[in-house]
Amino acid sequence: MITIDGAEGEGGGQVVRNALALSLATGQPFRITNIRGGREKPGLMRQHLTAVEAACAIADATCDGAAVGASEITFHPGTVRAGDYHFAVGTAGSTSLVLQTVLMPLVMAGAPSRLVLEGGTHNMQAPPFDFIDRCFLPVLNRLGPRVTARLIRHGFYPRGGGRVEIEIAPAPLSPVDCLDRGAPLSVSATALIAGLPFDIVTREIETARRFLDWPEEAFATHELPADRGPGNVLLLEAAFERGTEIVTGFGKIGTSAQSLAKTAAQRMAGFIGSAAFAGPYLADQLLLPFALAGGGAFTTVKPSRHSLTAADVIARFTGQRWTFAAQDDGTHLARRI
Amino acid sequence: MKPLTVIGFLGSTLDASKFGPSRWNKWRPTVGLAMHDDLRVDRLILLHGKAHDRLAAYVTEDVRAVSPETSVDLRRLDFKDPWDFEEVYGTLLDFARGQAFDPEAEDYLIHITTGTHVMQICLFLLTEARDLPGRLLQTQPSRGEIRPAGSYSIIDLDLSRYDSIATRFAAASAESASFLKSGIETRNGAFNRMIDEIERVALRSRAPVLLMGPTGAGKSQLARRIHELKRLKHQVAGSFIEVNCATLKGDNAMSALFGHRKGAFTGAVSDRPGLLRAADRGMLFLDEIGELGLDEQAMILRAIEDKRFLPVGSDREAASDFQLIAGTNRDLGEAVSAGAFREDLYARLNLWTFRLPGLAARREDIEPNLDYELDRFAEREGDRVSFNKEARQRYLAFATAPDASWPGNFRDLAASITRMATLAPRGRIDTETVDVEIARLRRLWSGQARADEAGAGDLLSEFLTADALAAIDRFDRVQLADVIRVCRASRTLSDAGRTLFNASRTRRSTANDADRLRKYLARFGLEWRAVAG
């Protein structure tokens, strides 16, 4: 049986989620030990457990040892069944992370599925809905399937309570090359706020404008009903002919509006200045579908620890080796060797 | 993985917040406990009063938002006074007993951060006593940062390092043990030991209990408290039925106890269920059981042993499952030898026999009972009366003096205090009121003493001629009458000697009680055989 040391590499929840998705997609059982071994609170946390339960639900799979705080689980996948599923994630958990676990197995199932996900939609340490919808899914759809996402309700930390609906029309996956993002099409900066003083978004927009040489009409504020809050994010979006990047700044207590806007804007400026197709977060997400398609390639910025760890887990389940080779133009080429 | 259930109170202050998004910047213990990454609550039993229905609904909604894994189970628990130890403890114990806890299949955490201090202490006590089969969950706000989740810790009282806490709280649990004493802080060691034993017996046994003691020693009140204690602990569900057997005479006795069928005798115009059936699943207190006729005794014995009996005029047996408490001021053993009480019934009753001392034997308890009676008066009349300091000292000095005989025991004391409280000018018992009361009691008791002396004369006239009796001093009459009473109740001369010289015999090197008694009787020309009759 495939045995994974959960503390190796990036050593977080992503190892668990990728292993679950790969196990369901390839039909191989696995055991993971030392789950989140290097973290302050090691073991499975609630949101990871929800991901495990979701993986069990879509495939009649069994998981031994699944409990909050567990350092080791053994997972036996069953047959993935397309269908209507509803998963709800607790306080710190993001709907995107549950989606990351079940999406690829359902994409490879024989029939359409519909997912309703409840929880956070714009949480720290997870891709926000906008990123899934406009950065990740368009690339995935180029591999063959047709996956659409709808945001019904925003959900911010700590309250959660957001709702996302996903429609999945599966298709066989074919390898695609995403090397050149093409010419810039449009840019936008949106500051979302709910239940907090409005001057926060004003300051975020002002700061972002100082660091990004974008036209005035690109900047907008969007106030959500107060009862959705408290919550605040700054979404910076750059669309190119063949791909889109979104950089997010998450408002939180103790971080000033100016500083989060400055960090986000500098990261966006850095991406625009490079020639890469995928930013660091998109690169993480793309490895799994590309590997399941069996090939293809994309360019990205310097690979993150998340990406390198994902490549290791993929190798354990598929035998494929994915590498990031530095290119002359400063980008890195991710491809199977 | 066992599902986790958390039980706790809604915090009417801590869990409350503004109804707006700013509430998420505040630590709310009940919502916070559902927000931890590493604590998954599958079920939250949230106890709250009617006054906080709206807050409970609001908190429930927020718990569901942050923790879709949690099902919230709202339970209404109203307290007249959430600071009243006895009420809170009793209500929570009822709640705990009413839950189908299954520690094999579920884990339980008892959240003790919210609720009044009394509620928190009671939750602790119930957890410590395993009535709530879980560990304690304590939550607190995070220091120095705004985190709505706060932090938590789990305390397993089974771990030995918490023994010191358990010991400290034993003092608090003693408070609930004082239940049988109606909360009166009695100081008499022997009495307190007896009450502790009665409590243990009451909670562990359904066997009959016999309470012996003089009139007014509190048998009836103690029986009623035993019933309430057992009801609180879910050991009896039925009522407390009390009857004084001295009031049951003739046909009426049978029918009152066992009921009758319509037409069983003249005047039986309708069915009567009888006291035994009224006590079904409850408790029957037969006071002065020594006054019960022999036929009734036989029926009672059968009813205790088989839980069945035959109502008057009925050909079908009736059933009743009751616990019997019997009270008596007579020595039933003596009555058995005299053939006035069935030996088999006595044997059944004599398993748990407790002798309630009279007030004169518990002088140190007069003061706490005095306060208790004043409280009762205040409750009854809605009028709080108190002693002034001097008056209180004067009354206590009289009441606890060796010559205060208190023949009517606690009933006398209660009546005495009620009189003073009623007569007290402007709610204050002064020395004048006390003096009047002391004079009244002296008068009452001397009347009693004269009656005793007259009783002694009656008894002595059975053994002595009128001339012989006239030659005996009043001083000696009372003593001789008591000696004769003891002799009649004793099997042998030696037994009687041991009873009569119970104190001095322990100080003597050779025990010659029989000889001392024989010589004493001889002084009046009497012999053992004659007086033992």
Coordinates of all heavy atoms in Angstrom, one line a residue, chain B residues 20-74:
Chain B
G20 N -25.4 42.2 15.4 CA -24.8 42.8 14.2 C -23.5 42.1 14.0 O -23.0 41.3 14.8
P21 N -22.8 42.5 12.9 CA -21.5 41.8 12.5 C -20.4 42.0 13.6 O -19.5 41.1 13.6 CB -21.1 42.4 11.2 CG -22.0 43.6 11.0 CD -23.2 43.4 11.8
S22 N -20.5 43.0 14.4 CA -19.5 43.2 15.4 C -19.4 42.1 16.4 O -18.4 41.9 17.1 CB -19.7 44.5 16.1 OG -20.8 44.5 16.9
R23 N -20.5 41.3 16.5 CA -20.4 40.2 17.5 C -19.3 39.2 17.1 O -18.8 38.5 18.0 CB -21.8 39.4 17.5 CG -22.1 38.6 16.2 CD -23.5 38.1 16.3 NE -23.9 37.2 15.2 CZ -24.2 37.5 14.0 NH1 -24.3 38.8 13.7 NH2 -24.5 36.7 13.1
W24 N -18.9 39.2 15.9 CA -17.8 38.2 15.5 C -16.4 38.7 16.0 O -15.5 38.0 15.8 CB -17.8 38.0 14.0 CG -19.1 37.2 13.6 CD1 -20.2 37.8 13.0 CD2 -19.4 35.9 13.9 NE1 -21.1 36.8 12.9 CE2 -20.7 35.6 13.4 CE3 -18.7 34.8 14.5 CZ2 -21.3 34.4 13.4 CZ3 -19.3 33.6 14.5 CH2 -20.6 33.4 14.0
N25 N -16.4 39.9 16.5 CA -15.1 40.4 17.1 C -15.1 40.2 18.6 O -14.2 40.6 19.3 CB -14.9 41.8 16.8 CG -14.7 42.0 15.3 OD1 -14.3 41.1 14.6 ND2 -15.2 43.2 14.8
K26 N -16.1 39.5 19.1 CA -16.2 39.3 20.6 C -16.1 37.8 20.9 O -16.6 37.0 20.1 CB -17.6 39.9 21.0 CG -17.9 39.7 22.5 CD -19.3 40.2 22.8 CE -19.6 40.2 24.3 NZ -20.1 38.9 24.8
W27 N -15.5 37.5 22.0 CA -15.4 36.1 22.4 C -16.8 35.8 23.1 O -17.2 36.4 24.1 CB -14.3 35.9 23.4 CG -14.4 34.6 24.1 CD1 -14.1 33.4 23.5 CD2 -14.6 34.3 25.5 NE1 -14.3 32.3 24.4 CE2 -14.6 32.9 25.6 CE3 -14.9 35.1 26.6 CZ2 -14.8 32.3 26.9 CZ3 -15.1 34.4 27.8 CH2 -15.1 33.1 27.9
R28 N -17.5 34.8 22.5 CA -18.7 34.3 23.1 C -18.5 32.8 23.4 O -18.3 32.0 22.4 CB -19.9 34.5 22.1 CG -20.2 36.0 21.9 CD -21.3 36.1 20.9 NE -20.9 35.8 19.6 CZ -21.7 35.5 18.5 NH1 -23.0 35.6 18.7 NH2 -21.2 35.2 17.4
P29 N -18.4 32.4 24.6 CA -18.0 31.1 25.0 C -18.7 30.0 24.2 O -18.1 29.0 23.7 CB -18.3 30.9 26.5 CG -18.5 32.3 27.0 CD -18.8 33.2 25.8
T30 N -20.0 30.1 24.1 CA -20.8 29.0 23.5 C -20.5 28.9 22.0 O -20.4 27.8 21.4 CB -22.3 29.1 23.8 OG1 -22.4 29.1 25.2 CG2 -23.1 28.0 23.2
V31 N -20.5 30.1 21.3 CA -20.2 30.1 19.9 C -18.7 29.7 19.7 O -18.3 28.9 18.8 CB -20.4 31.5 19.3 CG1 -20.1 31.5 17.8 CG2 -21.9 31.9 19.5
G32 N -17.8 30.2 20.6 CA -16.4 30.0 20.5 C -16.0 28.5 20.6 O -15.2 28.0 19.8
L33 N -16.8 27.8 21.4 CA -16.4 26.4 21.6 C -16.7 25.6 20.3 O -16.1 24.5 20.1 CB -17.1 25.7 22.8 CG -18.6 25.5 22.8 CD1 -18.9 24.2 22.2 CD2 -19.0 25.5 24.3
A34 N -17.5 26.1 19.4 CA -17.8 25.5 18.1 C -16.8 25.9 17.0 O -17.0 25.6 15.9 CB -19.2 25.7 17.7
M35 N -15.8 26.8 17.4 CA -15.0 27.4 16.3 C -13.6 26.8 16.3 O -12.7 27.3 15.5 CB -14.9 28.9 16.6 CG -16.2 29.6 16.3 SD -16.2 31.3 16.7 CE -15.3 31.9 15.2
H36 N -13.3 25.9 17.2 CA -11.9 25.4 17.2 C -11.6 24.3 16.2 O -12.4 23.4 16.0 CB -11.6 24.8 18.6 CG -11.7 25.8 19.7 ND1 -10.7 26.8 19.9 CD2 -12.6 26.1 20.6 CE1 -11.1 27.6 20.9 NE2 -12.2 27.2 21.4
D37 N -10.5 24.5 15.5 CA -10.1 23.5 14.5 C -10.0 22.1 15.0 O -10.2 21.2 14.3 CB -8.6 23.9 14.0 CG -8.6 25.1 13.2 OD1 -9.7 25.6 12.7 OD2 -7.5 25.6 13.0
D38 N -9.6 22.0 16.3 CA -9.3 20.7 16.8 C -10.3 20.2 17.8 O -10.0 19.3 18.6 CB -7.9 20.7 17.4 CG -7.8 21.8 18.5 OD1 -8.7 22.6 18.6 OD2 -6.7 21.8 19.2
L39 N -11.5 20.8 17.7 CA -12.5 20.3 18.6 C -13.8 20.2 17.8 O -14.3 21.2 17.4 CB -12.7 21.3 19.8 CG -13.8 20.8 20.8 CD1 -13.3 19.6 21.6 CD2 -14.1 22.0 21.8
R40 N -14.2 19.0 17.5 CA -15.4 18.9 16.7 C -16.6 18.5 17.6 O -16.6 17.4 18.2 CB -15.2 17.8 15.6 CG -16.5 17.5 14.9 CD -16.1 16.9 13.6 NE -17.1 15.9 13.1 CZ -17.2 15.5 11.9 NH1 -16.3 15.9 11.0 NH2 -18.1 14.6 11.5
V41 N -17.6 19.3 17.7 CA -18.7 19.1 18.6 C -19.8 18.6 17.7 O -20.3 19.3 16.8 CB -19.1 20.4 19.3 CG1 -20.3 20.1 20.2 CG2 -18.0 21.0 20.0
D42 N -20.3 17.3 17.9 CA -21.3 16.8 17.1 C -22.7 17.2 17.6 O -23.6 17.4 16.8 CB -21.2 15.3 17.0 CG -19.9 14.9 16.4 OD1 -19.8 14.9 15.2 OD2 -18.9 14.6 17.1
R43 N -22.8 17.4 18.9 CA -24.1 17.7 19.5 C -23.8 18.7 20.6 O -22.9 18.5 21.4 CB -24.8 16.5 20.0 CG -26.2 16.8 20.5 CD -27.1 15.5 20.5 NE -26.6 14.6 21.5 CZ -27.3 14.2 22.5 NH1 -28.5 14.7 22.7 NH2 -26.8 13.4 23.4
L44 N -24.6 19.8 20.6 CA -24.5 20.8 21.7 C -25.8 20.8 22.4 O -26.8 21.2 21.8 CB -24.1 22.1 21.2 CG -24.1 23.3 22.2 CD1 -23.1 23.1 23.3 CD2 -23.9 24.6 21.4
I45 N -25.8 20.4 23.7 CA -27.1 20.5 24.5 C -27.0 21.8 25.2 O -26.1 22.0 26.1 CB -27.2 19.3 25.5 CG1 -27.3 18.0 24.7 CG2 -28.5 19.5 26.3 CD1 -27.6 16.8 25.5
L46 N -27.8 22.8 24.8 CA -27.6 24.1 25.4 C -28.8 24.4 26.3 O -30.0 24.4 25.9 CB -27.6 25.1 24.2 CG -27.2 26.6 24.5 CD1 -25.9 26.6 25.3 CD2 -27.2 27.4 23.3
L47 N -28.5 24.6 27.6 CA -29.6 24.8 28.6 C -29.8 26.3 28.7 O -28.8 27.0 28.8 CB -29.1 24.2 29.9 CG -28.6 22.8 29.9 CD1 -28.0 22.4 31.2 CD2 -29.7 21.8 29.5
H48 N -31.0 26.7 28.8 CA -31.3 28.1 28.9 C -32.7 28.3 29.5 O -33.5 27.4 29.5 CB -31.2 28.8 27.6 CG -32.3 28.5 26.7 ND1 -33.5 29.2 26.5 CD2 -32.5 27.4 25.8 CE1 -34.3 28.6 25.7 NE2 -33.7 27.5 25.2
G49 N -32.9 29.5 30.1 CA -34.2 29.8 30.7 C -35.1 30.5 29.6 O -34.7 30.9 28.6
K50 N -36.4 30.6 30.0 CA -37.4 31.1 29.1 C -37.0 32.6 28.7 O -37.2 33.0 27.6 CB -38.7 31.1 29.7 CG -39.9 31.6 28.9 CD -41.2 31.3 29.6 CE -42.4 32.0 29.1 NZ -42.4 32.3 27.7
A51 N -36.5 33.3 29.7 CA -36.1 34.7 29.4 C -35.1 34.9 28.3 O -35.0 35.9 27.8 CB -35.6 35.3 30.7
H52 N -34.4 33.8 28.0 CA -33.3 34.0 27.0 C -33.6 33.2 25.7 O -32.7 32.8 25.0 CB -32.0 33.6 27.6 CG -31.7 34.4 28.8 ND1 -31.6 33.9 30.1 CD2 -31.4 35.7 28.9 CE1 -31.3 34.9 30.9 NE2 -31.2 36.0 30.3
D53 N -34.9 32.9 25.4 CA -35.2 32.2 24.2 C -34.6 32.8 23.0 O -34.1 32.2 22.1 CB -36.8 32.2 24.0 CG -37.4 31.1 24.9 OD1 -36.7 30.3 25.4 OD2 -38.7 31.1 24.9
R54 N -34.7 34.2 22.9 CA -34.3 34.9 21.7 C -32.7 34.8 21.5 O -32.2 34.4 20.5 CB -34.7 36.3 21.8 CG -34.4 37.1 20.6 CD -35.2 38.4 20.4 NE -34.7 39.2 19.4 CZ -34.1 40.4 19.7 NH1 -33.9 40.8 21.0 NH2 -33.6 41.1 18.7
L55 N -32.0 35.0 22.6 CA -30.6 34.8 22.6 C -30.2 33.4 22.2 O -29.3 33.2 21.4 CB -30.0 35.2 24.0 CG -28.5 35.1 24.1 CD1 -27.8 36.0 23.1 CD2 -28.0 35.4 25.5
A56 N -30.9 32.5 22.8 CA -30.6 31.1 22.5 C -30.7 30.8 21.0 O -29.9 30.1 20.4 CB -31.5 30.1 23.3
A57 N -31.8 31.3 20.4 CA -32.0 31.1 18.9 C -30.9 31.8 18.1 O -30.4 31.2 17.2 CB -33.4 31.6 18.5
Y58 N -30.5 32.9 18.6 CA -29.5 33.7 17.9 C -28.1 33.0 17.9 O -27.4 32.8 16.9 CB -29.4 35.1 18.5 CG -28.7 36.1 17.6 CD1 -29.4 36.5 16.4 CD2 -27.5 36.7 17.9 CE1 -28.8 37.5 15.6 CE2 -26.9 37.6 17.1 CZ -27.6 38.0 15.9 OH -27.0 39.0 15.1
V59 N -27.8 32.5 19.2 CA -26.5 31.8 19.4 C -26.5 30.5 18.6 O -25.5 30.1 17.9 CB -26.3 31.6 20.9 CG1 -25.2 30.5 21.1 CG2 -25.9 32.9 21.5
T60 N -27.7 29.8 18.5 CA -27.8 28.6 17.8 C -27.5 28.8 16.3 O -26.8 28.0 15.7 CB -29.3 28.0 17.9 OG1 -29.5 27.8 19.3 CG2 -29.4 26.7 17.1
E61 N -28.0 29.9 15.8 CA -27.8 30.2 14.4 C -26.3 30.4 14.1 O -25.8 29.9 13.1 CB -28.6 31.4 14.0 CG -28.8 31.7 12.6 CD -29.6 33.0 12.4 OE1 -30.7 33.1 12.9 OE2 -29.0 33.9 11.7
D62 N -25.7 31.1 15.0 CA -24.2 31.3 14.8 C -23.4 30.1 15.0 O -22.4 29.9 14.3 CB -23.8 32.4 15.8 CG -24.1 33.8 15.3 OD1 -24.5 33.9 14.1 OD2 -24.0 34.8 16.1
V63 N -23.8 29.2 15.9 CA -23.1 28.0 16.1 C -23.2 27.1 14.8 O -22.2 26.5 14.3 CB -23.6 27.2 17.3 CG1 -23.1 25.7 17.3 CG2 -23.2 27.9 18.6
R64 N -24.4 27.1 14.3 CA -24.6 26.3 13.0 C -23.8 26.9 11.9 O -23.2 26.1 11.1 CB -26.1 26.3 12.6 CG -26.8 25.4 13.6 CD -28.3 25.1 13.1 NE -28.9 24.2 14.0 CZ -30.1 24.4 14.5 NH1 -30.8 25.4 14.1 NH2 -30.6 23.5 15.3
A65 N -23.6 28.2 11.8 CA -22.8 28.8 10.8 C -21.4 28.4 10.9 O -20.8 28.0 9.9 CB -23.0 30.3 10.8
V66 N -20.8 28.5 12.1 CA -19.4 28.2 12.2 C -19.1 26.7 12.3 O -18.0 26.2 12.2 CB -18.7 28.9 13.4 CG1 -18.8 30.4 13.2 CG2 -19.4 28.5 14.7
S67 N -20.2 25.9 12.6 CA -20.0 24.5 12.8 C -21.1 23.7 12.3 O -22.0 23.3 13.0 CB -19.7 24.2 14.3 OG -19.4 22.9 14.4
P68 N -21.2 23.5 10.9 CA -22.3 22.7 10.4 C -22.3 21.3 10.9 O -23.3 20.6 10.8 CB -22.0 22.7 8.9 CG -20.6 23.3 8.7 CD -20.2 24.0 9.9
E69 N -21.1 20.8 11.5 CA -21.1 19.5 12.0 C -21.9 19.3 13.3 O -22.2 18.2 13.7 CB -19.6 19.1 12.4 CG -18.6 19.2 11.3 CD -17.8 20.5 11.3 OE1 -18.5 21.5 11.4 OE2 -16.6 20.4 11.2
T70 N -22.3 20.5 13.9 CA -22.9 20.5 15.2 C -24.4 20.5 15.1 O -24.9 21.4 14.5 CB -22.4 21.6 16.1 OG1 -21.0 21.6 16.1 CG2 -22.9 21.6 17.5
S71 N -25.1 19.6 15.8 CA -26.5 19.8 15.9 C -26.8 20.4 17.3 O -26.3 19.9 18.3 CB -27.3 18.5 15.7 OG -27.1 17.7 16.8
V72 N -27.6 21.5 17.3 CA -27.8 22.2 18.6 C -29.2 21.7 19.1 O -30.2 21.7 18.4 CB -27.8 23.7 18.4 CG1 -28.0 24.4 19.7 CG2 -26.5 24.1 17.8
D73 N -29.1 21.3 20.4 CA -30.3 20.8 21.1 C -30.6 21.7 22.2 O -30.0 21.8 23.2 CB -29.8 19.4 21.6 CG -31.0 18.6 22.1 OD1 -32.1 19.1 22.2 OD2 -30.8 17.4 22.4
L74 N -31.6 22.6 22.0 CA -31.9 23.6 23.0 C -32.8 23.0 24.0 O -33.8 22.3 23.7 CB -32.7 24.8 22.3 CG -31.8 25.7 21.5 CD1 -32.7 26.9 21.0 CD2 -30.7 26.3 22.3

